[in-house]
Amino acid sequence: MDNRTQLNKTPLSKAVRLALGCSLIGSSAFAMAQEAPKGADASVEEIVVTGTHIKGLDTEGAVQVVQIDRDDIEASGATSPIEILQQLSQTGGGSGTFSTATSGALSSDTPVGAAGVSLRGLGASSTLVLVNGRRVSVSSFAKGQESFVDVNSIPLAAIERVEVLPSGAAATYGADAVAGVVNFVLRDDFDGSEISLTHGNSTAGTDEGKYNLNWVWGREGENSYTMVVVDLFSRNAMYDRDRTLTANSVRPSQQGIYPSFNDLELMWLDQTESPASGGCPEDQFGFGSFGDYCAFNTNAVSATQDEYESASVVATFNYDISDNLEWFNTLMLQTSESRGTSSPANFSRAPFDPESPLWPEALKEDLVEEGSFHEDYPTSDFSDFYGYPIFAWGKFPDARAVEVESEAVRLVSGLRGEVNDWNWEVAANLGRSESEQRGLSGLYKADAFYNASVGNLCTDGSVVDRWEVDLARPSASFGAGETCEDLGKTTAWYNPFGGQVDQIAEMDDLIRTDAKRGGKSNLYAIDGNISGSWIELPAGTVQVAFGGEFRRESVVDTPSGDAVSTTLNPEPILGFSSTSADAARNQWAVYMEQMIPLAANTELQFALRYDHYDNFGGDTNPKVALRHQFNDAITFRSNWSTSFRAPSLAQVGAGTLLSSYSVDCSVTPVACDGLADESGEALLSEDVSNDGLKPETATTWGAGFLLKPSEDTEISIDYWNIEHENLIGVEEDDFILRAFNGDFAVVGEGELPTGQPGLEVDNFGFVVDAHFQLSNLGWQKTNGVDLAFTQYFDTENWGNFRFTLDGTYLNEFDKLPSDALGIVKEAGNYTYPRWLANSSLRWRYEDWSSTLTGRYTHSYMDDPSPRVLDAVLEEGNEYFASRVDIDDEGNVEVDSWVTFDLRVARDFDNGSWLSLRVNNLFDKEPPLVLGTGANVDHFNHNSMGRFYTLSYGYAF
């Protein structure tokens, strides 16, 4: 006997009946869930489906809606919402949907511990995230300067279902729904108590264990309903070094913990502490175009997945004031702590005093020998370098690591009721997200480090002026001023030798910082709507909805004072970004929606919404959708709408963001002295604000068919098309081309003030610094097809089977950042696979159930730099070379990837259940991707390998 059927006799009956009514299991079934589950009870309460404010409309409506039910969630083995959403083909492609696998301490990383969802590859800020149909406060830390909702702040145990509307919906929900809407619907009719335990880990021999404990309690009184969900989650970190494919960099950094030295005057080639003198290890020592170097494998320290812990509470309380009036309340609380680790920071052109007592004798001899070849001023003794700095290019010995503590609070309280067959609802929505980031290691203050390198820094923290330090270049000029010893103090010399491990006791406190950063995001909103039957037409009754809302949002992101850049100190913490934002705004909106029956089997939906923002004005967006049912087997649906996205608060109130970018000479040869075959400079750049930003706009249309050739067969085919204009962002290549065309300043090295957009070019004609400006770019157009197939098989003696196959084909994803850059075609290229597909076979018989799921990611073209591509073919890189598919023209294709997951579950008569799920059953390694430093595309692939999840639950 199915235990959940048996439990209908217990207080859990309502929740159990709902779970059994959900027919979709496994992520591959998600895309078909817009159809009503087979065998669902027709007498269920009318609900509002995502995509409309009208209560009780058919879920097989004029607009495609994908549903992920509670049964799907349990069967997936997921422990966070982002794991569910990443399994949808509509969220794949590009770099929009991100998880903690892409987070880290750098500005190019996503925020530590956070996750965001993107539909159609258009970015997390173009996907509106709702909880129970209402907005959620954005994350207090932005992704660069892109605001998003951290979906990890919503505990998975509290979610009844997820509804995904993968098309524009501004006419219904307002701004940000350019690509669509993801609506998390919370559980609301659980009666009884249930506790569940989950443990998972990889089979790789490293400890990536995750642990989840949740408790759900619900009670229905005579006039009230109360539910409480408590969720505790913990997950260990995973590092690139823990997997063979990601353990080593294809092209290790030539800046290592044994720096390369050159005075740039008397010497031609760099010199490094050699293996013969006890310096750089033999297998890391190399000779390049600049001379000696000691290579460093950044993958040995970088984290693939954050260490993460969270505790969440969700409480709901509903009270029936009368038969037609209900008071409803939802409270959500979460606290989380996460750690992110990135590679150690570089120091480049760092000046060191040749009179430091720490110089090793062997290295001094090498420097003198190299200087002896100078035609005019050959060196014969190390003292010939005195009075001039010797510059170093290296890497600090410890990884950049940060810890983020976050708290999220959400309270919704409102009234809903019915008057003369009209349903109405009004509610207040309060949300707050607060985060604090602290550096744990690897964060070095530029001014203190450079002063310690030339002997200006004293052990008590004071600074003398023996050298005049230029932080912007960087460089130093000898001033022959007083030393620390002249003042009765002790010089705090930084020791760059011997792997930098032997430092004085005071050094850490003098040059390191925790760069504490704080962020707050607030949301205050009031909304109301009314819906019901309006006008009788020959084909039926016109259903309408009217509503409005007022919303105030604010974001404050305050960096550490140590991290704020100035013109004289543009990189105050070496290799570390600072982000700042301070913005608030008011918004109000009114909207209406109609469902008009044109004929017995034809209905038209029309929606119109006006939104007004106090900082840029208003915008009106319509939606028109048509549904026609030819017969029971064929239904046609189509839709057209416009959408907009206001500049996010992180963009409106943006300060200067310290960032990084590597110049691509093949795209912008003008930035490389006209040499397209060169490798461009790796820049520590800035992203600067723009007060003239305008809203993004989009036009969306689509059409499709729902086919039911038999009672046991369901097919859906949906075409979608989105044209997105006035994109807000930074397009580095376009900016460089525009700067050289005269739109922005192009000046010499060290001459560009902080906060001013423009470029710095060195004497060799290479761009060495850039201050990119946020701007409204050109357009992007994307279109494709969603396909889904479901087949049921019911047998008398072998149980029930269900086969599903669904996928998304990306036909086009074109971008035009500007006329100068031209059209960029993304579909089929780097991180944009054309096909994403899932398939599953589900079986249930009595107390047993099982699901086998397959996932397919199509191949696409890689985007390696010339240096990386050359490194693959070097001796010693045979492992990588064997995994690279290079054609005659030097193009590299990323292989397609297929994985299988298996779940087996058993229900027991005592109210308990047990399930085992194995993801990546055959431990299939992801394809090598040379365009990423981790060797893996974490947006479309996963390097975890085989991972098992064991869950046990008990209902009482």
Side-chain angles (χ1 to χ4, degrees):
M1 177 182 292
D2 188 328
N3 184 56
R4 291 173 183 170
T5 301
Q6 183 190 43
L7 285 175
N8 285 338
K9 302 175 182 178
T10 73
L12 290 171
S13 58
K14 287 192 176 181
V16 173
R17 283 197 298 270
L18 181 58
L20 287 174
C22 301
S23 61
L24 303 180
I25 286 252
S27 64
S28 61
F30 293 168
M32 277 301 298
Q34 64 264 29
E35 326 300 346
K38 183 183 179 183
D41 187 350
S43 63
V44 296
E45 178 188 2
E46 289 185 336
I47 61 172
V48 177
V49 178
T50 300
T52 179
H53 290 292
I54 300 174
K55 195 172 185 179
L57 289 191
D58 195 336
T59 58
E60 297 180 359
V63 180
Q64 178 189 10
V65 178
V66 180
Q67 289 193 13
I68 308 169
D69 295 293
R70 185 67 207 169
D71 210 21
D72 303 318
I73 295 172
E74 293 176 352
S76 71
T79 49
S80 65
I82 195 62
E83 293 178 39
I84 292 287
L85 294 169
Q86 284 179 312
Q87 297 171 4
L88 287 172
S89 59
Q90 289 87 354
T91 63
S95 57
T97 297
F98 61 88
S99 67
T100 54
T102 59
S103 67
L106 312 184
S107 63
S108 56
D109 300 325
T110 56
V112 172
V117 59
S118 163
L119 294 170
R120 307 301 189 196
L122 297 182
S125 62
S126 295
T127 299
L128 179 61
V129 176
L130 308 173
V131 173
N132 284 350
R134 289 184 168 85
R135 289 180 180 255
V136 184
S137 57
V138 297
S139 170
S140 49
F141 289 160
K143 177 191 176 188
Q145 289 171 330
E146 180 183 15
S147 295
F148 68 97
V149 172
D150 179 12
V151 297
N152 276 350
S153 65
I154 307 168
L156 194 64
I159 299 172
E160 177 58 40
R161 65 183 184 276
V162 184
E163 297 177 342
V164 179
L165 176 65
S167 61
T172 306
Y173 297 108
D176 306 332
V178 171
V181 177
V182 176
N183 182 27
F184 294 93
V185 180
L186 301 182
R187 302 168 77 170
D188 64 356
D189 64 351
F190 187 91
D191 199 351
S193 188
E194 182 179 68
I195 188 168
S196 62
L197 300 166
T198 298
H199 168 65
N201 210 333
S202 73
T203 59
T206 50
D207 186 7
E208 290 88 27
K210 64 178 181 180
Y211 308 87
N212 187 212
L213 168 65
N214 60 69
W215 172 63
V216 183
W217 174 85
R219 181 177 180 180
E220 184 172 2
E222 182 177 353
N223 296 309
S224 65
Y225 173 76
T226 307
M227 186 189 72
V228 177
V229 178
V230 179
D231 185 271
L232 304 176
F233 178 73
S234 175
R235 183 190 64 204
N236 295 334
M238 173 185 170
Y239 294 88
D240 289 347
R241 62 176 178 264
D242 294 331
R243 298 295 182 270
T244 303
L245 182 65
T246 58
N248 295 289
S249 303
V250 174
R251 183 180 181 271
S253 172
Q254 294 187 4
Q255 289 182 242
I257 60 174
Y258 289 87
S260 301
F261 295 92
N262 195 317
D263 78 329
L264 301 181
E265 293 288 342
L266 304 177
M267 299 170 57
W268 179 252
L269 296 175
D270 296 349
Q271 300 296 308
T272 301
E273 292 179 85
S274 66
S277 62
C280 179
E282 185 72 39
D283 62 346
Q284 299 172 24
F285 188 73
F287 186 85
S289 56
F290 297 105
D292 294 345
Y293 66 85
C294 187
F296 187 87
N297 176 24
T298 56
N299 290 25
V301 295
S302 297
T304 310
Q305 175 178 270
D306 296 343
E307 180 181 350
Y308 182 82
E309 295 180 351
S310 67
S312 306
V313 176
V314 176
T316 62
F317 176 74
N318 297 351
Y319 184 78
D320 293 330
I321 299 175
S322 69
D323 291 341
N324 296 314
L325 181 61
E326 180 186 23
W327 178 37
F328 61 92
N329 302 271
T330 301
L331 174 66
M332 299 176 61
L333 305 170
Q334 188 199 55
T335 178
S336 64
E337 182 177 309
S338 54
R339 293 181 176 89
T341 306
S342 301
S343 61
N346 291 338
F347 51 85
S348 300
R349 210 177 185 275
F352 281 85
D353 186 351
E355 294 188 60
S356 165
L358 304 177
W359 286 91
E361 289 300 322
L363 181 58
K364 290 163 65 175
E365 293 174 2
D366 291 340
L367 295 172
V368 172
E369 181 181 0
E370 177 62 27
S372 68
F373 298 108
H374 195 279
E375 293 182 0
D376 299 323
Y377 305 102
T379 57
S380 59
D381 186 81
F382 194 66
S383 61
D384 294 336
F385 293 104
Y386 287 2
Y388 301 92
I390 297 177
F391 297 98
W393 288 260
K395 198 178 300 290
F396 290 108
D398 50 339
R400 286 167 286 184
V402 297
E403 179 181 72
V404 174
E405 293 184 358
S406 299
E407 294 181 354
V409 179
R410 183 174 189 263
L411 174 63
V412 175
S413 183
L415 296 171
R416 58 184 165 221
E418 182 178 334
V419 177
N420 296 327
D421 295 327
W422 285 73
N423 298 296
W424 62 271
E425 185 173 306
V426 62
N429 179 8
L430 309 177
R432 180 182 180 89
S433 173
E434 186 170 355
S435 300
E436 181 181 84
Q437 176 179 286
R438 298 183 300 276
L440 301 177
S441 65
L443 306 185
Y444 292 84
K445 294 180 289 186
D447 58 348
F449 169 69
Y450 291 139
N451 278 299
S453 69
V454 295
N456 279 357
L457 186 64
C458 304
T459 55
D460 65 354
S462 61
V463 177
V464 298
D465 58 356
R466 185 166 181 264
W467 290 79
E468 182 179 344
V469 176
D470 181 357
L471 299 175
R473 189 167 170 77
S475 187
S477 301
F478 187 65
E482 292 180 315
T483 67
C484 294
E485 282 69 21
D486 291 337
L487 301 177
K489 302 178 182 181
T490 302
T491 300
W493 293 100
Y494 185 82
N495 183 4
F497 312 111
Q500 307 176 60
V501 296
D502 187 12
Q503 306 291 346
I504 63 172
E506 297 89 348
M507 188 58 66
D508 278 359
D509 291 336
L510 292 172
I511 68 173
R512 292 177 187 255
T513 177
D514 64 0
K516 187 178 294 185
R517 168 191 177 194
K520 295 180 181 179
S521 167
N522 289 294
L523 168 69
Y524 308 96
I526 298 175
D527 67 84
N529 65 75
I530 185 169
S531 66
S533 301
W534 189 21
I535 302 173
E536 287 289 339
L537 296 179
T541 304
V542 176
Q543 302 290 320
V544 297
F546 301 95
E549 68 173 309
F550 172 82
R551 187 169 72 250
R552 178 170 178 79
E553 298 172 291
S554 65
V555 164
V556 177
D557 188 348
T558 307
S560 165
D562 289 339
V564 177
S565 62
T566 64
T567 301
L568 298 178
N569 188 8
E571 190 187 2
I573 301 177
L574 294 172
F576 186 74
S577 64
S578 91
T579 302
S580 63
D582 188 355
R585 66 185 174 204
N586 296 331
Q587 179 268 342
W588 60 267
V590 291
Y591 58 85
M592 62 82 64
E593 185 178 347
Q594 297 183 40
M595 192 285 290
I596 306 171
L598 302 180
N601 296 314
T602 305
E603 64 183 38
L604 175 72
Q605 289 186 25
F606 175 72
L608 187 68
R609 178 174 173 128
Y610 176 78
D611 288 85
H612 183 86
Y613 286 77
D614 62 5
N615 56 349
F616 74 83
D619 194 77
T620 302
N621 289 274
K623 180 188 80 171
V624 179
L626 179 70
R627 177 182 183 271
H628 176 71
Q629 188 170 4
F630 293 94
N631 49 49
D632 291 342
I634 303 175
T635 300
F636 171 78
R637 59 189 179 190
S638 62
N639 65 89
W640 175 91
S641 65
T642 65
S643 302
F644 80 106
R645 186 182 79 82
S648 68
L649 291 174
Q651 293 167 338
V652 171
T656 296
L657 167 66
L658 298 185
S659 186
S660 61
Y661 178 70
S662 294
V663 175
D664 188 342
C665 296
S666 64
V667 178
T668 56
V670 67
C672 308
D673 197 32
L675 304 174
D677 295 333
E678 285 291 322
S679 291
E681 296 292 322
L683 310 180
L684 294 170
S685 55
E686 294 181 4
D687 293 348
V688 300
S689 61
N690 183 352
D691 293 334
L693 292 176
K694 300 177 181 178
E696 299 176 356
T697 60
T699 301
T700 303
W701 68 274
F705 287 91
L706 303 176
L707 307 176
K708 294 184 178 181
S710 71
E711 183 182 1
D712 296 326
T713 305
E714 299 172 353
I715 303 170
S716 69
I717 305 171
D718 287 282
Y719 171 83
W720 46 270
N721 185 300
I722 302 173
E723 297 184 7
H724 195 184
E725 298 179 339
N726 286 331
L727 306 179
I728 299 173
V730 171
E731 180 59 58
E732 293 87 354
D733 294 332
D734 171 63
F735 182 92
I736 291 172
L737 293 174
R738 290 169 60 196
F740 278 104
N741 284 335
D743 291 355
F744 302 100
V746 179
V747 298
E749 190 171 1
E751 298 179 6
L752 189 64
T754 292
Q756 177 182 334
L759 304 175
E760 292 183 2
V761 180
D762 66 12
N763 294 331
F764 300 100
F766 280 71
V767 171
V768 293
D769 193 11
H771 298 178
F772 302 113
Q773 186 180 50
L774 276 172
S775 60
N776 287 101
L777 307 173
W779 50 258
Q780 61 185 6
K781 299 178 180 180
T782 181
N783 61 73
V785 178
D786 291 335
L787 304 169
F789 170 79
T790 300
Q791 180 66 53
Y792 301 93
F793 303 93
D794 296 335
T795 68
E796 293 184 3
N797 300 319
W798 296 94
N800 301 323
F801 295 84
R802 180 175 186 175
F803 174 76
T804 64
L805 174 65
D806 68 81
T808 295
Y809 177 73
L810 179 63
N811 178 61
E812 180 184 55
F813 201 119
D814 292 351
K815 296 180 180 179
L816 180 68
S818 73
D819 293 334
L821 191 60
I823 295 176
V824 179
K825 293 186 175 296
E826 300 283 16
N829 289 318
Y830 183 60
T831 72
Y832 287 86
R834 286 193 180 273
W835 273 108
L836 294 171
N838 304 301
S839 182
S840 75
L841 178 64
R842 172 199 174 186
W843 166 77
R844 175 179 287 277
Y845 181 66
E846 296 183 347
D847 297 334
W848 290 89
S849 64
S850 181
T851 304
L852 177 66
T853 303
R855 310 186 193 282
Y856 173 77
T857 303
H858 198 54
S859 60
Y860 56 85
M861 301 309 297
D862 206 344
D863 187 29
S865 69
R867 289 179 178 177
V868 169
L869 194 56
D870 290 342
V872 171
L873 304 177
E874 292 178 355
E875 183 179 356
N877 268 346
E878 291 78 11
Y879 171 81
F880 295 119
S882 66
R883 286 162 169 76
V884 174
D885 183 10
I886 307 177
D887 64 18
D888 295 337
E889 298 179 356
N891 298 313
V892 181
E893 185 177 37
V894 176
D895 292 336
S896 59
W897 193 46
V898 179
T899 61
F900 293 91
D901 305 334
L902 178 66
R903 177 183 185 262
V904 178
R906 170 75 191 277
D907 293 310
F908 298 96
D909 292 339
N910 64 351
S912 63
W913 53 268
L914 182 68
S915 72
L916 173 66
R917 183 180 177 90
V918 181
N919 289 344
N920 198 347
L921 183 64
F922 301 110
D923 203 19
K924 182 68 177 296
E925 187 178 66
L928 172 66
V929 181
L930 299 176
T932 71
N935 307 337
V936 171
D937 172 10
H938 286 298
F939 292 104
N940 293 296
H941 305 133
N942 189 319
S943 60
M944 178 64 74
R946 184 188 295 117
F947 194 94
Y948 69 87
T949 303
L950 183 65
S951 299
Y952 172 79
Y954 179 62
F956 53 95

